[in-house]
């Protein structure tokens, strides 16, 4: 007889902005990289949250300012010496790099609880991608974002086809 083990889901936590913490399922995350601004080629005439493209293993990777996509203030300031934190996510055959303020740590589903305080007013883009609000072990609010909804938003904004 086989014992079934309960799978503990893991999430990657990160800061969208210095104040807003979020998390994505690790099933969605391909890798985390750091790239300098001079590695990004700007593409003019596209949506403002598109930072540009870069070469990743011979493939073109679109880099998106994730906070800007969710209509939060653009969190990234260009500095020649400071690399960007990029979370590369995938869905089916689509791959995109999300530039975030800071990458956090792994969070297990069992380590989060329903929040004591719920955000009352958020931009519709963030609301569209929000799966649920959770509270971490230190009392911090974590926004669990839905990967499928992120790709839907990218398609709506004509960033991904």
């Amino acid at each position: 007889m086989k014992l079934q083990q309960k799978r503990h889901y893991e999430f990657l936590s990160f800061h969208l902005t210095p104040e807003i913490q979020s998390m994505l399922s690790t099933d969605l995350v391909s890798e985390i990289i750091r790239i300098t601004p001079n590695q990004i080629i700007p593409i003019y005439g596209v949506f403002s949250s598109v930072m540009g493209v870069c070469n990743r293993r011979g493939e073109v990777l679109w880099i998106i300012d994730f906070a800007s996509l969710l209509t939060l203030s653009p969190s990234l300031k260009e500095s020649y010496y400071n690399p960007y934190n990029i979370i590369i996510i995938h869905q089916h055959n689509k791959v995109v790099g999300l530039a975030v303020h800071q990458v956090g740590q792994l969070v297990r589903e069992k380590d989060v609880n329903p929040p004591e305080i719920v955000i009352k007013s958020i931009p519709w883009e963030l609301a569209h991608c929000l799966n649920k609000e959770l509270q971490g072990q230190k009392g911090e609010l974590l926004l669990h974002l839905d990967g499928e909804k992120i790709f839907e938003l990218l398609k709506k904004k004509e960033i991904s086809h």
Side-chain angles (χ1 to χ4, degrees), residues 42-134:
I43 306 292
Y44 297 98
V46 294
F47 193 69
S48 63
S49 62
V50 176
M51 297 170 68
V53 295
C54 74
N55 181 350
R56 180 179 154 263
R57 299 183 187 137
E59 298 288 326
V60 173
L61 177 66
W62 287 84
I63 306 295
I64 310 297
D65 181 335
F66 198 23
S68 176
L69 176 70
L70 299 175
T71 60
L72 303 168
S73 61
S75 64
L76 304 168
K77 307 272 189 279
E78 187 172 321
S79 168
Y80 185 78
Y81 298 105
N82 294 333
Y84 295 124
N85 298 298
I86 310 294
I87 300 172
I88 300 175
I89 63 170
H90 67 276
Q91 180 190 46
H92 308 295
N93 61 348
K94 299 173 188 168
V95 178
V96 68
L98 303 175
V100 298
H101 181 71
Q102 182 180 3
V103 176
Q105 56 192 10
L106 290 178
V107 176
R108 292 202 170 134
E109 185 177 45
K110 67 178 185 156
D111 296 334
V112 292
N113 299 303
E116 292 174 12
I117 299 172
V118 177
I119 298 175
K120 292 184 175 30
S121 175
I122 58 176
W124 80 264
E125 291 89 345
L126 180 55
H128 177 77
C129 297
L130 184 62
N131 187 3
K132 58 186 162 185
E133 297 173 64
L134 297 166

